[in-house]
């Protein structure tokens, strides 16, 4: 960790989760925050995957943090990261199956990198909270929420 007090540990963990998700083929755009847009050009830039030409993106943010004292002036943080995934619905090509496979590929990529390249004490397993469909603007999309817990403890990882 670069900050002496560990205050950047959460941002480092989120950055590593983003890097891991980006290794999944055809995952689309991945962001380290929830992005909001109000015009079509920005929507296409942020949310449309150039390789697949459909809406396909993910974002990672903190849902909550639990903290426990372990020793004097030492605590262990348990950050629950919320990973949201979106993909266009295209019924004639069974896009729901494609999305389910993509979700499992993201989970598998995180499973084999439990220390997130040394940025956390431990992480995972990634849980699927929900998989459903909805709309973003006028686009019908598949949507999922994954929860990935990361444990930050002030020791060398």
């Amino acid at each position: 960790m670069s900050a002496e007090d560990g205050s950047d540990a959460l941002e480092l963990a989120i950055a590593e989760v983003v890097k891991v998700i980006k290794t999944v083929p055809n995952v689309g755009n991945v962001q380290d925050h929830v992005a909001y847009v109000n015009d079509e050009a920005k929507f296409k830039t942020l949310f449309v995957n150039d390789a697949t030409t459909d809406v396909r993106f993910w974002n990672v943010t903190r849902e909550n943090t639990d903290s426990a004292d372990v020793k004097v002036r030492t605590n262990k943080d348990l950050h629950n990261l919320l990973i949201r995934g979106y993909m266009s619905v295209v019924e004639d090509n069974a896009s729901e199956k494609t999305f389910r496979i993509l979700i499992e590929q993201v989970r598998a990529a995180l499973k084999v990198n439990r220390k997130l390249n040394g940025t956390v004490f431990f992480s995972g397993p990634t849980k699927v909270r929900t998989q459903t469909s909805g709309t973003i603007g006028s686009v019908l999309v598949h949507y999922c929420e994954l929860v990935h817990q990361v444990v930050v403890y002030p020791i060398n990882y």
Side-chain angles (χ1 to χ4, degrees):
M1 289 188 264
S2 59
E4 189 67 30
D5 64 358
S7 60
D8 61 344
L10 173 64
E11 292 305 314
L12 291 171
I14 289 173
E16 285 302 316
V17 169
V18 167
K19 284 182 192 174
V20 170
I21 294 172
K22 284 182 176 181
T23 66
V24 176
N26 293 318
V27 76
N29 300 328
V30 185
Q31 299 171 330
D32 63 358
H33 64 284
V34 179
Y36 299 96
V37 298
N38 57 7
D39 68 62
E40 189 173 346
K42 286 182 184 175
F43 179 87
K44 287 180 179 179
T45 299
L46 292 176
F47 304 140
V48 175
N49 182 5
D50 293 335
T52 59
T53 67
D54 63 353
V55 170
R56 198 175 291 212
F57 72 97
W58 300 74
N59 61 51
V60 182
T61 190
R62 171 178 42 194
E63 180 174 62
N64 60 51
T65 298
D66 190 20
S67 192
D69 286 329
V70 179
K71 294 181 181 178
V72 176
R73 298 184 311 172
T74 304
N75 65 310
K76 178 169 55 173
D77 287 335
L78 292 89
H79 300 290
N80 283 323
L81 302 184
L82 180 60
I83 304 166
R84 293 183 183 106
Y86 304 82
M87 190 182 94
S88 297
V89 171
V90 183
E91 188 49 45
D92 61 341
N93 71 1
S95 59
E96 182 185 358
K97 289 181 181 181
T98 302
F99 190 57
R100 281 197 314 252
I101 291 167
L102 199 56
I103 290 168
E104 292 309 308
Q105 289 173 333
V106 167
R107 293 181 67 229
L110 289 165
K111 184 178 182 178
V112 298
N113 195 345
R114 298 296 281 269
K115 290 188 180 270
L116 298 175
N117 297 317
T119 60
V120 299
F121 182 67
F122 197 73
S123 76
T126 307
K127 299 171 185 163
V128 179
R129 175 185 290 156
T130 190
Q131 179 189 340
T132 188
S133 59
T135 58
I136 298 178
S138 61
V139 180
L140 184 60
V141 294
H142 300 288
Y143 169 75
C144 73
E145 290 181 357
L146 311 180
V147 178
H148 188 77
Q149 187 175 77
V150 297
V151 179
V152 177
Y153 190 61
I155 60 174
N156 291 330
Y157 306 132

